[in-house]
Amino acid sequence: MTQSHPRISKAVIPAAGLGTRFLPATKATPKEMLPVVDKPAIQYVVEEAVAAGLDDVLMVTGRNKRPLEDHFDRNYELESALQKKGDAGRLAKVQESSDLATMHYVRQGDPKGLGHAVLCAAPHVGDEPFAVLLGDDLIDPRDPLLQRMVEVQEQRGGSVIALMEVAPEQIHLYGCAAVETTEDSDVVQVSGLVEKPDPADAPSNYAIIGRYVLDPHIFGILRRTEPGRGGEIQLTDALQQLAEDEKIGGPVHGVVFKGRRYDTGDRGDYLRAIVRLACEREDLGPDFRTWLRSYVAEEM
């Protein structure tokens, strides 16, 4: 019999990375603000949190990230100009981002890794379970992964991570989970985790993707976690401790995701994400698909 656990209302979005893979574009522009079609990547992530019922959003930022705050704030001069022009459509798009959620910001002073970024959220989160969304992973809104993770956490307690099956030769690019089946076909219990293992040492081909619903006991573990791979405080290492001992903060479960995911952290995948999303847009898709077919035919 499942047990009811506290409702989750807070989401944490780490956004302090330097975006070095996208230099020189990210020299003065946060990578999270790079457009995916006509909307910055970070807005897709906030929209996903809100769609899952998490309208209290804390963004963990760093130096040169002020444009993130500006994007989710009001721009009265621009709004006034659009209003005077009678451009209701663009005015609505501008106002949409500032009306999405209650936004909060905290700076990660030192880039000590994802675990440290999550720890920066402790004063805001308090003793409540919370979600963590990484901005490089965009999840198609037609495949409500985060909503399912919240549901699993509320039923089972503890922490929940998003998992995706990948080719064995790709597992070294991800955190990896050792899992056991449950009565739900899309839910597994996590018995162990390792960050970016060699394929020969990987316990499975279940890769961790950038969505977490975490028990607040994770903060105490992160405070004691020593730097791991890459000299950074790894969230995976802290989750490993939770998986090893359920008495600390409940079990760790995984939701196996088989839907549409767009990776914007790699230049090639970023371009592919733009093409896929543009093709599916009602306003852009028909003309863009026609041009794309013609272009591919000419190149081949």
Side-chain angles (χ1 to χ4, degrees):
M1 183 175 179
T2 58
Q3 181 181 357
S4 178
H5 294 270
R7 176 68 188 169
I8 300 168
S9 64
K10 294 179 179 178
V12 175
I13 302 177
L18 298 176
T20 52
R21 285 181 289 181
F22 282 84
L23 287 170
T26 50
K27 178 181 178 181
T29 301
K31 70 170 183 174
E32 297 83 4
M33 289 300 297
L34 295 179
V36 180
V37 188
D38 56 2
K39 190 162 57 177
I42 193 67
Q43 185 170 332
Y44 289 89
V45 180
V46 174
E47 289 173 349
E48 181 187 349
V50 172
L54 314 182
D55 58 0
D56 184 325
V57 177
L58 175 71
M59 205 167 288
V60 183
T61 69
R63 293 183 68 246
N64 300 325
K65 298 286 184 168
R66 182 61 185 269
L68 293 172
E69 299 185 32
D70 290 341
H71 180 71
F72 292 101
D73 199 358
R74 299 292 298 274
N75 187 327
Y76 292 104
E77 295 83 359
L78 178 58
E79 291 176 28
S80 177
L82 293 171
Q83 197 165 27
K84 288 177 181 177
K85 290 181 179 180
D87 195 338
R90 288 190 174 88
L91 177 61
K93 289 182 179 180
V94 168
Q95 292 176 331
E96 181 183 12
S97 60
S98 56
D99 295 335
L100 268 175
T102 302
M103 301 295 298
H104 309 271
Y105 304 91
V106 64
R107 281 199 174 193
Q108 181 186 14
D110 297 316
K112 296 180 181 179
L114 177 57
H116 180 259
V118 171
L119 186 56
C120 291
H124 180 77
V125 170
D127 295 326
E128 304 174 31
F130 64 104
V132 174
L133 298 85
L134 305 189
D136 286 347
D137 285 318
L138 304 188
I139 305 299
D140 194 295
R142 293 168 294 184
D143 302 310
L145 169 62
L146 187 59
Q147 292 180 36
R148 177 59 175 152
M149 294 174 67
V150 168
E151 178 184 283
V152 170
Q153 199 282 334
E154 289 175 347
Q155 292 173 347
R156 299 173 180 264
S159 298
V160 181
I161 63 177
L163 299 174
M164 179 182 69
E165 289 190 81
V166 301
E169 61 270 19
Q170 292 183 320
I171 196 65
H172 70 283
L173 301 172
Y174 299 88
C176 176
V179 303
E180 301 170 3
T181 60
T182 72
E183 64 274 15
D184 293 319
S185 61
D186 65 333
V187 178
V188 293
Q189 181 150 356
V190 177
S191 57
L193 295 138
V194 59
E195 182 67 20
K196 297 182 178 178
D198 290 330
D201 300 326
S204 74
N205 66 328
Y206 282 105
I208 305 169
I209 58 176
R211 298 295 181 269
Y212 308 81
V213 177
L214 301 176
D215 183 276
H217 284 90
I218 196 77
F219 293 129
I221 296 174
L222 285 169
R223 291 186 183 99
R224 300 188 298 271
T225 299
E226 294 294 325
R229 189 181 182 93
E232 298 181 337
I233 298 174
Q234 297 289 347
L235 181 59
T236 303
D237 293 342
L239 284 166
Q240 166 66 18
Q241 294 187 46
L242 288 180
E244 286 178 344
D245 187 356
E246 293 186 13
K247 295 178 182 178
I248 298 176
V252 178
H253 286 92
V255 169
V256 180
F257 182 63
K258 296 182 180 180
R260 287 156 285 200
R261 166 181 172 261
Y262 311 106
D263 183 357
T264 62
D266 171 83
R267 289 174 299 173
D269 286 336
Y270 170 75
L271 294 173
R272 284 185 279 272
I274 292 173
V275 171
R276 289 173 65 183
L277 287 169
C279 284
E280 294 178 0
R281 287 267 294 261
E282 291 183 4
D283 58 338
L284 297 172
D287 288 343
F288 185 67
R289 289 194 299 270
T290 299
W291 173 84
L292 190 59
R293 292 189 191 101
S294 174
Y295 175 75
V296 172
E298 289 175 3
E299 289 298 305
M300 292 179 64

